[in-house]
Structures are given as C-alpha cells and as structure tokens.
Amino acid sequence: MTSPLLSLPGAVAGNGVDAPVAAHYGSFHGEQRTLVGGDGFVDLSHREVLRIAGPDRLAYLHNITSQHFLDLAPGTPTQALVLSPQGHVEHHFHAVDDGEVLLAHTEPGRAATLAEFLDRMKFMMRVEITDATAELAVCWRPSGKFDLVPRARLHEYAEAAGPAAGLWAYDALRIERGEPRFGIDTDHRTIPNEMGWIGPAVHLDKGCYRGQETVARVHTLGRPPRRLTLLHLDGTENRLPTAHAEVTHEGRPVGFVGSSARHHELGPIALAVIKRNVPVDAQLVVDGMPAGQEVLVDPEVGLHVRPKLR
C-alpha cells in the first residue's frame, strides 16, 4: 500500500518491499541527526496491521506466542514471536493493547500468513482477527514508540509530528542499536537466542508454547549455534553489501549479512548472523569488503545462566 507521504517534498521511494515508503527526503544524514535529536518521525506505513479483539485475546496470545500477555497493561508496547515446533522464528510482531483491542503490526507481506496461523489456533477462544492495514498506518518516533495512525489522516499526522525522516535514516539507527529486522536479518533456521530477542520478544517465565523447549535449552544449558553481530564495514568502496550476501572468515563461509546502512557518525555498518565459534575479534569479509565486529549477542550467553548441578 503506497504511502501518501511520498508526495512530500524531496521524497525518494525505497526499493523492494520498502518501495511504498520514502527511503529519504533528500538528506539521510541530516534526517538521522534530526531523529537522534529527538525530533521528527519515520513513515513505516507499509507495515501491516492486525486487529485482535475479544475477551480471550490476551490469554490466547499468551498460550501460542513467546511473550507474556496475561498481565499486559493497556498502552504498554511489546513484541512477540511465533515459533515452529523446533524453535525457529516464523513470525515477529509488535503489539499494544488498549484494554479492549490489541493491535499488532508486522513486516510488509506477512500479515496474511500470521492471521491465518492465529485464526487456525483459536479453537473455542473468544477472539476475532481482522486485517486493519487499509485503516491504520504505522509511524515511528525517536522515543522508540510506534504510533498507529488513521491512514486517511497521515498528512495531518506528518504536519504535527514532522519533520519526516526516511527509512535509510531509521535503518542506520536501528542497526546501531542492534535491532534485527525479521526476514532481512533472519533466515529459516533463526532461533530467538541468536538474535538478542530473549527479553524484548521472549519471556522466559511463562507457561509452555510451541518452540519453548529449544529456547529454554539453549538459554540455560548451551550456546546459540549462531550470533547476531554489528559489522563496521570498510568504507573505501562506495557501496553497501547485498542482503544475505556471504560472510567469510579466512576464506571460509561463516554466515550472512542482513541490513546495512550508512551511519552519520559510524560510517557504513551492517548486521550479520555468523557462526558462534568465530572469534569476536576476527576480521571478516562481507560481499568482498573487509569488516570488523562489535559483539551484540554473547557467543557463550548460555554458560552465564548454567545451573549448578551436583
């Protein structure tokens, strides 16, 4: 669904799944500085929105996702995952409940399959799931808050919340924070422990849900097979790596690169998923470019919570 904010002065559309929103409005470094300063907003209206209503909605989501929804207070933002029986991440969404209805938003093109799964798992629960993408648009504020805005009032919102910043500025700051994007920084083998989602999107003290055994085992007794890392790319080449390009160490493939951006202070940076046993200080090569690492997910995180066995 193409954003009406592409009509704003200087707007340049993104690429691929991000084509419906602006990549930038003429100065992505200036837009980054505006966001860092706490001003402006980012149009993410190509994200898709589900409305989940009914008196059983929180108990229902609590039972089938990785997050603790039972005591979710109205207005409190949260994240959740849907996992496969083997613990692989199938869906990631952000959500907020207003006391009567929960609104969840996810990546472009993902809402239909998420809604299908949720609908299939309702059984006798009093829950109603509808697609609200045509009605509501997602925008991001520098506070970290996502606003759900009536799509017909996006221009009014932009006038009040501006100046607008594009997706390139948003991505640069997201990568700096080490926040992975589902479908870009993940693949079909991704488990939550590899991505730093334990805490933000996975609650460890709740009842059983699909895939929980894998999450608990890796968290308490083992090491994640792979780890998310922040890469500082060699800036001599005037390009960024292709998403899902190979990452190598001493000529051997060790993972793949996901999101990348040009940061206004750090230069070219990227997120990559690499094998856990790659030394944290190793020099890597990404799509033909040298890159240094900054640790995001501790390769031995499980060992720090290993129970004392007698």
Side-chain angles (χ1 to χ4, degrees):
M1 187 169 291
T2 301
S3 172
L5 299 187
L6 282 175
S7 65
L8 291 179
V12 176
N15 298 312
V17 296
D18 297 324
V21 297
H24 63 87
Y25 295 88
S27 175
F28 61 90
H29 279 171
E31 292 160 27
Q32 287 180 50
R33 295 187 183 97
T34 296
L35 294 175
V36 169
D39 297 322
F41 76 99
V42 179
D43 176 14
L44 299 178
S45 61
H46 61 327
R47 288 181 63 83
E48 298 181 343
V49 183
L50 295 179
R51 178 184 285 108
I52 304 173
D56 295 333
R57 68 193 181 282
L58 295 182
Y60 153 76
L61 289 170
H62 183 86
N63 289 338
I64 63 174
T65 74
S66 63
Q67 190 55 272
H68 196 296
F69 279 97
L70 288 182
D71 302 319
L72 184 65
T76 303
T78 191
Q79 302 176 46
L81 307 173
V82 172
L83 306 180
S84 74
Q86 294 75 35
H88 299 134
V89 180
E90 294 185 340
H91 295 282
H92 171 259
F93 62 89
H94 291 261
V96 64
D97 191 86
D98 67 3
E100 296 183 356
V101 171
L102 182 137
L103 296 174
H105 57 93
T106 189
E107 288 290 337
R110 303 282 183 171
T113 53
L114 175 57
E116 181 182 3
F117 169 80
L118 295 175
D119 196 61
R120 192 168 69 246
M121 301 299 291
K122 283 194 309 183
F123 302 111
M124 301 299 291
M125 302 289 276
R126 295 169 296 171
V127 176
E128 182 180 357
I129 302 155
T130 54
D131 191 326
T133 306
E135 175 189 347
L136 295 172
V138 181
C139 293
W140 182 85
R141 302 299 297 269
S143 63
K145 178 185 177 184
F146 291 96
D147 290 335
L148 278 298
V149 182
R151 192 170 289 274
R153 299 179 59 186
L154 265 175
H155 274 294
E156 295 176 42
Y157 175 88
E159 290 177 4
L167 195 63
W168 285 3
Y170 172 81
D171 276 345
L173 302 182
R174 174 182 62 80
I175 293 168
E176 179 191 16
R177 294 191 300 269
E179 296 177 3
R181 180 176 175 184
F182 179 68
I184 304 295
D185 301 304
T186 64
D187 62 11
H188 68 285
R189 297 191 294 127
T190 297
I191 63 172
N193 314 66
E194 299 172 332
M195 308 305 293
W197 272 330
I198 304 298
V202 177
H203 196 290
L204 293 172
D205 300 320
K206 58 167 286 186
C208 294
Y209 57 91
R210 193 170 74 164
Q212 181 193 33
E213 182 179 352
T214 297
V215 172
R217 182 174 65 250
V218 173
H219 183 71
T220 60
L221 296 176
R223 303 177 177 100
R226 304 181 299 178
R227 59 184 177 85
L228 185 72
T229 188
L230 175 64
L231 298 181
H232 294 268
L233 304 169
D234 186 318
T236 56
E237 294 193 44
N238 188 26
R239 65 184 180 93
L240 293 171
T242 303
H244 285 247
E246 190 174 75
V247 177
T248 62
H249 174 231
E250 296 180 341
R252 301 188 307 272
V254 294
F256 68 90
V257 69
S259 305
S260 60
R262 291 180 175 88
H263 191 276
H264 69 109
E265 290 182 341
L266 302 178
I269 56 175
L271 294 177
V273 178
I274 62 175
K275 293 180 179 179
R276 179 196 58 78
N277 58 4
V278 175
V280 296
D281 58 352
Q283 184 84 357
L284 305 176
V285 176
V286 184
D287 201 10
M289 292 177 280
Q293 301 178 61
E294 184 175 332
V295 174
L296 296 175
V297 173
D298 186 339
E300 296 191 340
V301 64
L303 295 184
H304 305 321
V305 293
R306 183 188 293 271
K308 294 181 179 179
L309 303 177
R310 300 184 64 177

